[in-house]
Amino acid sequence: MSHPAAAPTTPVLNSRLPAVGTTVFSRMSALAVQAQAVNLGQGFPDFACERSLIQAVNDAMQADFNQYPMMSGAPVLRQAIVAKIASLYGHQYDVEREITVTAGATQALTTAILCCVHPGDEVIVIEPTYDSYVPAITLSGGIPVLVQMETGAGGYSVPWDKVAAAVTPRTRLIIINTPHNPTGSVLRATDLQALADIVRGTDILLLSDEVYEHMVYDGARHESVCRYPELAARAFVVSSFGKTYHVTGWKVGYVAAPASLMTEFRKVHQYNVFTVNTPMQHGIAAYMADPQPYLELPAFYQRKRDLFRAGLQGSRFELLPADGTYFQCVRYDRISQQTEAEFAEWLTTEIKVAAIPVSAFYQQGKESGIVRFCFAKKDETLTLALERLQKI
């Protein structure tokens, strides 16, 4: 007599990222939809990109740029990237050996970490920090060493003495981000000089996340690592066309690095994504022939920043400096003593404006009484949000 077969079972998987769950961005965006709130949480525009950029991609498709490009990226786009970096920052990268087009900046960041961090290597991460860094370090077998930014009257700043104290013989990589997500702070020339003092005479590599490079305000310049030969010689520098051209869903970015570092980067890149959407690359390259869209971006976003800040003046929120990115951080301790996550949920469900708790950008969820708004929105979106926030 035969016995019925046991029900199929799925083997238990030992997670490579056991601490990772649903991101705060997904949770808050879902809550915003449910509450019918104005979503100033997740960092993407609610307005359209230039039609001429879309036309450039359509033209590339019609011209049959629809097959695999080179693994390193379409030559025409890499040439445009080299020209832009040289023009803005004075550093001349080799188009064949030192530029790789990536499937967005997050893929570039993860690939850079995976190609250089070995099990047991330490990576210095400055908190609050973009949420992809630490999981990528964990996947590589590395050890994240966390140094927290300090807050004062001038907003957030990096305590370089504490960064220097965190360096050990096992330090392989330091990750920096300027302009900084989530705080909206920017590194100045003195910061880059302090970083140079720390790494000079060591084998420490740098990973510089510069996706908001064209969003620096009040006449300040973006202090790219590319400006500093001593730093550029040991750095992976990452940027994003999605942020620059209002097309975050296209997921096209790039990394620039010295040839010896890029050789290792491409070894991982070719077995990760191999290469990136061909017509997008050709369309972006054609669009880059005119530098005005990225040269005018600081003024474009500064106007939105100033509109948003002016609307919160006199409110119960305390505005922190917003020197770069399209994010505005605010203190809310005159309104509530809730945790940041609780306050962000209250804002979303009761005030109908979604924000992101800055505590989500710390590994241990540090509470500072600060939430982050995104002002990369239509003026009418910002005006509606401000009307609601001013009533608190």
Side-chain angles (χ1 to χ4, degrees):
M1 182 176 178
S2 62
H3 295 282
T9 59
T10 301
V12 175
L13 180 62
N14 186 18
S15 176
R16 295 294 305 275
L17 295 171
V20 172
T22 304
T23 71
V24 67
F25 310 106
S26 297
R27 293 197 302 274
M28 294 309 298
S29 291
L31 187 60
V33 171
Q34 179 183 335
Q36 296 184 311
V38 179
N39 190 354
L40 302 189
Q42 198 162 359
F44 57 83
D46 69 346
F47 48 84
C49 68
E50 290 291 333
R51 299 296 93 179
S52 57
L53 176 56
I54 293 177
Q55 186 59 53
V57 174
N58 288 340
D59 290 346
M61 290 182 181
Q62 294 294 338
D64 287 329
F65 289 111
N66 297 306
Q67 307 307 325
Y68 291 129
M70 294 178 66
M71 179 265 286
S72 55
V76 65
L77 181 54
R78 285 185 284 116
Q79 290 162 1
I81 293 166
V82 165
K84 188 192 84 163
I85 293 173
S87 172
L88 293 179
Y89 310 129
H91 188 90
Q92 189 68 47
Y93 284 98
D94 182 278
V95 69
E96 296 298 335
R97 302 187 301 152
E98 298 185 326
I99 302 290
T100 299
V101 179
T102 60
T106 300
Q107 185 251 315
L109 294 162
T110 299
T111 301
I113 291 167
L114 290 174
C115 82
C116 68
V117 176
H118 294 254
D121 285 350
E122 294 177 352
V123 181
I124 294 177
V125 178
I126 298 168
E127 290 188 308
T129 186
Y130 180 62
D131 64 347
S132 83
Y133 301 165
V134 170
I137 295 165
T138 301
L139 288 173
S140 73
I143 301 168
V145 177
L146 307 172
V147 177
Q148 293 185 356
M149 297 177 83
E150 296 176 346
T151 53
Y156 285 89
S157 62
V158 178
W160 293 108
D161 57 335
K162 293 180 181 177
V163 174
V167 171
T168 75
R170 294 192 301 276
T171 304
R172 169 78 289 194
L173 183 69
I174 298 174
I175 304 178
I176 63 171
N177 174 205
T178 185
H180 187 262
N181 177 15
T183 69
S185 61
V186 300
L187 297 183
R188 310 294 183 179
T190 52
D191 293 299
L192 275 293
Q193 290 157 9
L195 178 60
D197 290 341
I198 291 170
V199 299
R200 189 175 297 120
T202 74
D203 290 328
I204 297 171
L205 300 173
L206 301 175
L207 175 53
S208 187
D209 179 350
E210 303 184 16
V211 301
Y212 299 99
E213 62 176 318
H214 301 299
M215 300 171 209
V216 180
Y217 309 129
D218 304 312
R221 75 175 192 175
H222 169 54
E223 294 296 338
S224 175
V225 162
C226 300
R227 293 187 186 276
Y228 299 87
E230 182 180 10
L231 297 177
R234 62 175 73 228
F236 300 92
V237 179
V238 173
S239 193
S240 162
F241 294 114
K243 297 295 191 298
T244 300
Y245 293 140
H246 318 308
V247 287
T248 59
W250 288 12
K251 298 298 293 179
V252 182
Y254 63 87
V255 61
S260 60
L261 300 184
M262 189 59 76
T263 296
E264 296 305 312
F265 181 95
R266 289 177 178 175
K267 289 178 182 179
V268 176
H269 175 79
Q270 70 178 333
Y271 294 116
N272 183 355
V273 296
F274 175 60
T275 192
V276 177
N277 189 302
T278 303
M280 298 287 188
Q281 292 193 54
H282 284 269
I284 290 170
Y287 189 70
M288 287 180 73
D290 178 8
Q292 289 310 303
Y294 59 78
L295 294 178
E296 294 171 356
L297 201 61
F300 173 82
Y301 272 124
Q302 182 169 338
R303 190 190 64 77
K304 290 187 178 292
R305 180 203 68 170
D306 292 348
L307 169 68
F308 191 65
R309 287 176 67 87
L312 289 181
Q313 291 291 348
S315 74
R316 296 170 69 193
F317 291 101
E318 178 189 342
L319 292 161
L320 276 66
D323 297 325
T325 75
Y326 45 49
F327 300 117
Q328 173 67 60
C329 288
V330 299
R331 293 187 190 276
Y332 61 83
D333 55 356
R334 288 180 292 191
I335 301 170
S336 172
Q337 298 303 310
Q338 292 175 297
T339 67
E340 292 175 13
E342 290 169 346
F343 183 73
E345 290 183 10
W346 176 80
L347 272 180
T348 305
T349 56
E350 301 300 323
I351 308 302
K352 306 297 184 183
V353 178
I356 296 291
V358 173
S359 58
F361 296 87
Y362 291 87
Q363 289 302 296
Q364 301 302 321
K366 178 183 177 181
E367 292 290 336
S368 305
I370 298 172
V371 294
R372 187 199 77 178
F373 295 112
C374 173
F375 55 80
K377 308 296 177 182
K378 298 174 185 175
D379 287 3
E380 52 265 40
T381 304
L382 296 176
T383 300
L384 177 58
L386 288 167
E387 289 174 356
R388 296 176 178 179
L389 295 171
Q390 288 162 354
K391 295 176 182 177
I392 299 175

